[in-house]
Amino acid sequence: MENIIKDVEDKKSKLANDGFFAPILKLFLSKKLLYRLLLSTSLFPMQNGAGINAITYYSPAIFASFGITGSKAGLLSTGIFGILKAFAALVWMFCIVDRLGRRTALIYFSFPCSICMWYIGAYIKIAKPGLRVANGDTHQDAGGKAAQAMLYIWTIFYGSSWNGTPWVINSEIFSQEVRTLTQAINSMSNWFWAFIMGRFSGEAVKAIGYKFYFIFATCMAVFPIVIFFLYPETKGVPLEAVDYLFEVPAWRARPYAMAKYQKEYQKQNLSTSIPEEQLEKRLD
């Protein structure tokens, strides 16, 4: 433990003495770090490809497309929708991110999100609830209620995976020397794509109707493949072993990194090496 504390203190001292431009040079002169930066910033267009900011900013219009109008649409969009997002965030925080893992949650929870969006788009295409409302029929049929339920189910699965996980991954794949800089760049990426979705989603809902939801459904079907091949699991991986994650394909990176980390510490004959039972627990 003393060696780890000493390493941290040495890095802090080095950061303080390197100056303002040192992290910038370290990041942009390293192909390995630029690759990780590409991975981290790409999580936010994918996050928005799930549809979160479009639904958050234009939820009344989206509920209206199900045939729900008036004050009821506002209540369902800002009330129940918001409560479910908060509930899903708590589930993610206490039950998923450190138990199931970051990569696993992104992969497996994307498919229910995709199914929900396929149903919503198909319902709007077939039933045309907006046309019924325009003709004075404000009755919500069973299909509309199912579409509403699908949106709530989507909220739970999205909130339990894509809502917070990108930020966790981004904080874990960079060293202390560049983490502050990369988090600033990742924040820029997040707000840029949030702006794009917020700016154009309203027009998209009106212009392409049901196809708007099919775009999100397709994205959520494709993104798990991207995560599987490019993003390693970072759950339980020590900061000292993060570099090892990118030495092998992403789908076998974590066991490799943990094994190499243990081997390196044993080679150095440090008293802080991970006990075998603890290593096995981390690999579960």
Side-chain angles (χ1 to χ4, degrees):
M1 182 61 69
E2 292 179 359
N3 291 290
I4 295 176
I5 295 174
K6 185 177 183 300
D7 287 342
V8 172
E9 293 299 328
D10 289 343
K11 288 180 179 179
K12 286 183 178 179
S13 177
K14 186 176 184 300
L15 284 173
N17 296 326
D18 280 345
F20 177 80
F21 292 101
I24 300 174
L25 294 174
K26 182 178 178 64
L27 176 63
F28 288 100
L29 294 179
S30 170
K31 291 183 179 180
K32 293 181 179 180
L33 291 179
L34 284 176
Y35 172 71
R36 294 186 209 178
L37 183 64
L38 176 63
L39 291 180
S40 66
T41 53
S42 296
L43 284 170
F44 294 105
M46 287 194 284
Q47 185 187 60
N48 280 275
I52 181 59
N53 283 310
I55 293 172
T56 299
Y57 296 144
Y58 293 96
S59 52
I62 289 171
F63 277 95
S65 70
F66 300 162
I68 306 171
T69 58
S71 60
K72 187 177 180 181
L75 173 63
L76 293 174
S77 61
T78 60
I80 299 176
F81 178 61
I83 292 172
L84 286 176
K85 281 199 298 183
F87 169 76
L90 292 174
V91 171
W92 170 81
M93 183 167 50
F94 291 109
C95 303
I96 293 176
V97 66
D98 282 327
R99 294 176 182 267
L100 188 61
R102 296 86 161 108
R103 165 187 163 92
T104 305
L106 293 180
I107 291 174
Y108 288 104
F109 285 31
S110 294
F111 294 112
C113 292
S114 179
I115 292 171
C116 291
M117 287 297 175
W118 282 118
Y119 177 86
I120 292 171
Y123 166 73
I124 294 174
K125 165 66 175 174
I126 296 170
K128 297 180 173 57
L131 183 60
R132 291 206 321 268
V133 172
N135 292 331
D137 182 5
T138 59
H139 174 72
Q140 186 184 18
D141 59 12
K145 293 178 181 178
Q148 179 181 330
M150 284 293 182
L151 186 61
Y152 291 151
I153 294 171
W154 174 92
T155 303
I156 293 173
F157 278 102
Y158 172 86
S160 300
S161 56
W162 280 93
N163 194 41
T165 304
W167 295 103
V168 176
I169 294 175
N170 293 341
S171 69
E172 293 177 330
I173 62 174
F174 294 103
S175 64
Q176 285 182 316
E177 290 88 346
V178 297
R179 186 180 298 152
T180 301
L181 174 61
T182 56
Q183 286 296 77
I185 296 172
N186 287 324
S187 296
M188 291 170 57
S189 176
N190 171 63
W191 287 110
F192 171 78
W193 291 105
F195 164 76
I196 293 297
M197 296 303 295
R199 173 62 182 84
F200 296 106
S201 292
E203 288 87 345
V205 171
K206 296 176 182 177
I208 61 177
Y210 70 92
K211 297 177 185 177
F212 184 66
Y213 304 97
F214 284 172
I215 292 173
F216 295 141
T218 302
C219 287
M220 295 308 284
V222 172
F223 291 161
I225 301 173
V226 177
I227 298 297
F228 179 82
F229 283 105
L230 297 181
Y231 290 83
E233 177 59 71
T234 59
K235 184 188 76 169
V237 177
L239 184 60
E240 297 85 357
V242 166
D243 289 342
Y244 305 150
L245 291 173
F246 298 92
E247 294 179 358
V248 295
W251 58 88
R252 61 185 183 91
R254 185 171 179 269
Y256 169 85
M258 295 300 292
K260 187 171 182 179
Y261 173 70
Q262 174 71 0
K263 184 178 179 180
E264 289 295 321
Y265 268 76
Q266 287 178 341
K267 185 186 297 183
Q268 296 174 27
N269 196 26
L270 294 176
S271 60
T272 54
S273 61
I274 301 176
E276 290 295 330
E277 60 273 13
Q278 185 177 346
L279 179 63
E280 292 175 0
K281 184 178 180 181
R282 285 188 174 186
L283 291 175
D284 288 339

